Amino acid sequence: IEIYSLHVDCKVTSRFSHTVITSKIVNRANESREATFEVELPKTAFITNFSMSVDGKVYPGIIKEKASAQKEYDTAVSRGQSAGLIKITGRKLEQFHVSVSIAAASKVTFVLMYEELLKRQLGKFELLIKVRPKQLVKHFQIDVHIFEPQGIRFLETDSTFMTNELTEALTEVQNETKAHILFKPTVDQQKINPELDETLLNGDFVVRYDVKRGATAGDIQIVNGYFVHYFAPHEMPVFPKNVIFVIDRSGSMAGRKIEQTREALLKILQDLRPEDHFNFITFNSKVVEWKSSLLQATAENVASAAGFVQTLSASGGTDINRAVLTAVSVLDKAERLPERSVSMIILLTDGQPTSGESNVEVIQENIQKAVNGKYALFCLGFGFDVSYKFLEKMALSNGGIARRIYENADAALQLQGFYQEVATPILMKIEMQYPENAVEGLTKNNFKLFFEGSEIIVSGKISNELDLLPVEIRAQSHASDLTLKEEANVKEKEQVFQNQSYIFGNFIERLWAYLTIQQLLEKSISAQEEDQKTLEAQALELSLQYSFVTPLTSMVVTKPAGQQQAELANKPTEAG
């Protein structure tokens, strides 16, 4: 089975990326063989299309409601034929895998399409393409086209498998607003060494970039009656933080995990700013406060905390409920904290609650009542024994986010990286306001906190009559209360994209749908049961309308006669 052509074509227009992967395979054997198409794509992406053509006949993937697709194909599953076509393969990726049997000398072409809105983290956007053909490919090519009307501030291409030989196959062309990256290695350049038919191409191909930002009230872009508003202020004074680290030291944390936790915390202590206040709470079945109140992050206090972190060891049960409630009460009792400051609790745990209150619903209720919107709770789940669903619901109900820490060699770096994302709050209580009578289908437009290096994105649909779209942003910064105003000229804004030949025309509408679905799904996690159904129904309707494989839809993949007739591609979620 020979892959004679593999092409990855990726177009990013104003952060929205549209990727098409085309793999062409021929069976050189003199009997039929399995041809396999295996692609790893970002978890944050939605597949929008898949097809295979065998000897000129096309077998498209069809996107349906998950529940009904499941019913239809349960018969196939009960015969033990299908394990689903998509599975999570790591911290950032999931894998799509399909195979089909083709006759001697036959050819098959696989085409997969997916889309995603790139998220700004620590000051850059990252486009990740996983490359692993497992054989030498005669025609191998990656094309990345980027168009950012705001202007490209910097751009870098990075890869885990580059050699000097391979660098020659890479070209980058860039002007003010556009970039084209082409990677086209010959068969010889792909080889590990000239004698062996083994490929070097195995790993990540990454493009990172950021855009220029001039306007204070962000940047508005409009296409076909849909708008997107990007807001990422920078160089503003940072709010002092009051942060409590709540660290699980139960028995299951023993060994590598507690070592990596110590290593990460020592680095994080170095990153605290002198005006920050902090404390540690460690817990197994007992809950221990390092100090009875928050301490200022002076050199002396940080050194003393480092000494404490080095003594962390693990044994015993897991009382998550009491540990987090203790953290809340330390913040409640805190005195002499900076007047304008941001208070947060960062929980790190690797297991289920086993000591004290162990009913997750009760814990969620207790914590939400205690936090009462005053503080942000971030939940980090270490490994796969945690109830991620529980942590995610707890974080989202209390103004924070959850993240899974993968038990790899780089776990300490993952912990540190997470801290860096939330280390510099520069705005709070951000409200993005648009004229009510002229805008509909508005995505989330008020945000508790804004961290340096990230980006706020709001999208919606504007009524036909509108010539000017006025926007007003209200927020609190460390120094003052802000009001920023901007007016976007609808006709002028639409003009920007008119002449871009390679742009898919309705991309802002698709960006709006992608963002709306993501937010509806996130909202449903912490919603009451009846609201949950409504939110999911809305997300399902959009998923079907825009043909996205989301956790609520399935793609049915059909195959030539005589082979397993249908397989389902379901999107896995971090919560399983």
Side-chain angles (χ1 to χ4, degrees):
I1 286 283
E2 179 198 332
I3 303 174
Y4 61 93
S5 164
L6 184 57
H7 191 177
V8 179
D9 183 46
C10 180
K11 297 179 174 38
V12 183
T13 309
S14 182
R15 340 276 198 269
F16 194 65
S17 81
H18 173 88
T19 304
V20 183
I21 298 178
T22 310
S23 173
K24 298 183 176 180
I25 296 177
V26 60
N27 177 5
R28 300 236 180 256
N30 46 18
E31 56 190 6
S32 48
R33 287 269 198 278
E34 282 284 285
T36 297
F37 176 68
E38 196 174 88
V39 169
E40 287 184 84
L41 61 142
K43 288 177 181 176
T44 38
F46 290 150
I47 289 174
T48 63
N49 210 330
F50 170 75
S51 69
M52 53 185 158
S53 21
V54 183
D55 296 331
K57 187 171 179 342
V58 179
Y59 300 86
I62 294 159
I63 296 175
K64 298 189 171 182
E65 179 198 359
K66 192 176 191 171
S68 61
Q70 206 69 46
K71 253 195 223 99
E72 242 171 277
Y73 298 99
D74 266 350
T75 45
V77 178
S78 64
R79 293 201 295 270
Q81 288 179 317
S82 172
L85 301 174
I86 310 176
K87 60 173 196 283
I88 289 183
T89 49
R91 192 156 63 90
K92 295 181 177 176
L93 297 163
E94 60 191 32
Q95 182 195 72
F96 176 86
H97 175 114
V98 70
S99 44
V100 60
S101 166
I102 52 170
S106 269
K107 289 182 176 176
V108 55
T109 299
F110 294 103
V111 182
L112 178 73
M113 245 180 242
Y114 60 85
E115 293 178 341
E116 99 176 286
L117 180 56
L118 301 180
K119 193 174 168 200
R120 187 166 183 253
Q121 274 175 322
L122 302 175
K124 40 176 112 62
F125 300 101
E126 180 180 280
L127 183 72
L128 170 60
I129 296 169
K130 186 77 175 181
V131 179
R132 214 173 63 170
K134 296 181 185 169
Q135 55 169 270
L136 300 171
V137 178
K138 192 173 173 187
H139 301 287
F140 179 93
Q141 185 169 334
I142 296 178
D143 266 298
V144 177
H145 286 273
I146 297 172
F147 173 51
E148 287 289 350
Q150 282 169 268
I152 297 169
R153 189 175 66 78
F154 86 91
L155 176 85
E156 59 181 21
T157 305
D158 188 16
S159 142
T160 53
F161 51 77
M162 271 303 166
T163 58
N164 291 342
E165 291 282 279
L166 281 175
T167 336
E168 292 169 19
L170 182 67
T171 50
E172 285 181 27
V173 187
Q174 185 188 341
N175 65 20
E176 186 71 14
T177 57
K178 288 187 195 167
H180 176 211
I181 293 145
L182 171 65
F183 180 54
K184 198 175 177 181
T186 62
V187 169
D188 284 341
Q189 286 171 322
Q190 294 171 39
K191 288 182 179 180
I192 289 183
N193 70 37
E195 281 70 64
L196 292 176
D197 282 350
E198 276 180 50
T199 178
L200 281 164
L201 306 184
N202 182 1
D204 300 346
F205 185 85
V206 182
V207 179
R208 294 188 193 89
Y209 72 94
D210 195 20
V211 300
K212 294 179 178 162
R213 292 182 176 78
T216 47
D219 189 81
I220 293 176
Q221 297 171 19
I222 301 173
V223 173
N224 294 344
Y226 283 81
F227 80 90
V228 60
H229 183 182
Y230 297 109
F231 180 52
H234 52 109
E235 290 166 7
M236 293 183 87
V238 177
F239 279 106
K241 298 190 296 301
N242 314 310
V243 56
I244 300 188
F245 298 96
V246 181
I247 305 296
D248 184 341
R249 54 181 171 90
S250 61
S252 54
M253 284 286 288
R256 194 75 185 100
K257 283 194 231 175
I258 200 85
E259 274 170 39
Q260 291 174 315
T261 302
R262 286 197 299 257
E263 185 186 330
L265 289 174
L266 289 171
K267 296 262 187 8
I268 288 169
L269 281 168
Q270 298 309 311
D271 289 343
L272 288 171
R273 292 190 159 74
E275 63 277 14
D276 291 340
H277 286 72
F278 73 106
N279 198 355
F280 286 97
I281 289 172
T282 63
F283 70 98
N284 44 26
S285 41
K286 291 194 195 66
V287 172
V288 178
E289 297 171 52
W290 172 54
K291 299 289 183 202
S292 54
S293 63
L294 287 146
L295 293 192
Q296 193 171 345
T298 60
E300 199 178 342
N301 287 338
V302 166
S304 148
F308 164 72
V309 164
Q310 270 151 336
T311 65
L312 281 181
S313 63
S315 66
T318 311
D319 190 345
I320 292 177
N321 182 58
R322 213 153 50 89
V324 178
L325 291 178
T326 306
V328 175
S329 92
V330 171
L331 285 171
D332 283 343
K333 291 188 307 224
E335 289 159 5
R336 294 191 303 283
L337 293 178
E339 187 168 321
R340 281 191 177 230
S341 58
V342 169
S343 297
M344 53 174 81
I345 296 167
I346 298 179
L347 166 70
L348 172 68
T349 177
D350 76 330
Q352 315 272 358
T354 55
S355 311
E357 180 56 67
S358 59
N359 178 329
V360 291
E361 270 92 30
V362 176
I363 298 176
Q364 277 159 354
E365 211 170 300
N366 290 348
I367 286 168
Q368 199 169 345
K369 220 187 289 175
V371 171
N372 197 13
K374 295 172 294 202
Y375 317 124
L377 171 63
F378 298 96
C379 298
L380 304 177
F382 205 146
F384 281 86
D385 297 331
V386 290
S387 164
Y388 190 80
K389 219 176 179 148
F390 157 65
L391 294 178
E392 189 172 37
K393 182 170 181 177
M394 214 159 45
L396 292 173
S397 307
N398 296 291
I401 57 172
R403 189 67 65 81
R404 193 189 296 280
I405 302 297
Y406 277 69
E407 288 182 57
N408 306 343
D410 73 342
L413 285 172
Q414 294 174 51
L415 285 166
Q416 237 177 296
F418 172 79
Y419 174 76
Q420 282 167 345
E421 285 174 52
V422 299
T424 44
I426 55 177
L427 290 178
M428 53 202 263
K429 299 189 177 146
I430 305 107
E431 288 182 24
M432 315 278 284
Q433 297 170 339
Y434 309 86
E436 273 178 28
N437 51 1
V439 169
E440 53 180 307
L442 195 62
T443 59
K444 181 179 159 94
N445 68 328
N446 53 330
F447 304 85
K448 263 193 162 161
L449 293 168
F450 174 79
F451 298 102
E452 171 83 68
S454 64
E455 180 172 61
I456 283 175
I457 305 178
V458 181
S459 182
K461 204 167 160 177
I462 43 187
S463 64
N464 308 338
E465 298 76 66
L466 211 60
D467 297 326
L468 288 176
L469 174 65
V471 305
E472 183 171 305
I473 302 173
R474 290 171 186 270
Q476 292 177 8
S477 79
H478 186 228
S480 62
D481 289 0
L482 303 176
T483 304
L484 307 170
K485 294 184 177 185
E486 183 77 55
E487 272 194 329
N489 180 317
V490 176
K491 294 266 180 301
E492 266 173 39
K493 291 285 181 190
E494 292 243 358
Q495 220 41 60
V496 175
F497 295 97
Q498 295 312 13
N499 333 340
Q500 301 308 324
S501 52
Y502 64 79
I503 285 171
F504 40 114
N506 57 349
F507 90 94
I508 292 186
E509 183 177 344
R510 294 193 67 80
L511 180 159
W512 166 82
Y514 172 97
L515 190 58
T516 304
I517 293 166
Q518 293 277 31
Q519 291 178 356
L520 287 166
L521 292 171
E522 188 168 292
K523 221 164 145 184
S524 78
I525 290 167
S526 57
Q528 298 301 320
E529 203 170 326
E530 50 279 15
D531 298 339
Q532 216 164 10
K533 291 200 165 54
T534 319
L535 293 164
E536 286 184 354
Q538 290 172 308
L540 171 64
E541 191 184 341
L542 284 172
S543 303
L544 291 170
Q545 188 184 339
Y546 290 94
S547 87
F548 284 130
V549 178
T550 69
L552 301 170
T553 51
S554 288
M555 186 164 65
V556 179
V557 174
T558 52
K559 297 185 178 179
Q563 302 187 41
Q564 182 193 330
Q565 271 313 281
E567 288 186 284
L568 292 189
N570 291 333
K571 184 167 185 64
T573 62
E574 198 60 76

